[in-house]
Amino acid sequence: MLEGRALVKETDMSTKMQIHAMACASHALDLYDVSDCISVAAHIKKEFDSVYGNGWQCVVGSSFGCYFTHSSGTFIYFALETLNFLIFKGTSS
């Protein structure tokens, strides 16, 4: 599974939610090819929407930039295998 492979770069999520995010990413990589970042991201987003309510966003890739506002306690950015994962829940303005 993901023991020792994930590296959290930045987060404000609870430890339990972080573990869920990384486990979900690992499971998505078991289901989809590492080059199919859209399917991996969609899998993670759907899981988080289902468990924590709608409004989650997920970006997966090896190189990307971003700028966003998120709800407190809902952000994680981590690396797993060759990919970076950004998961967050947006705020309503």
Side-chain angles (χ1 to χ4, degrees):
M1 181 109 159
L2 90 132
E3 286 295 322
R5 296 190 305 170
L7 172 65
V8 176
K9 297 181 177 185
E10 191 70 40
T11 189
D12 71 353
M13 280 183 175
S14 68
T15 301
K16 181 178 178 181
M17 195 179 284
Q18 289 177 48
I19 292 167
H20 184 209
M22 292 180 284
C24 189
S26 181
H27 181 67
L29 291 175
D30 289 341
L31 295 174
Y32 303 100
D33 190 87
V34 70
S35 65
D36 189 3
C37 293
I38 294 172
S39 293
V40 172
H43 177 86
I44 296 166
K45 183 207 178 339
K46 289 174 187 173
E47 169 71 9
F48 268 64
D49 280 347
S50 171
V51 173
Y52 303 109
N54 292 332
W56 288 88
Q57 306 300 317
C58 182
V59 181
V60 177
S62 57
S63 179
F64 57 85
C66 59
Y67 187 83
F68 60 91
T69 303
H70 70 284
S71 298
S72 181
T74 67
F75 161 77
I76 189 168
Y77 177 56
F78 64 95
L80 180 61
E81 295 186 8
T82 61
L83 296 174
N84 295 307
F85 294 79
L86 172 64
I87 305 168
F88 65 94
K89 190 170 189 174
T91 61
S92 53
S93 34

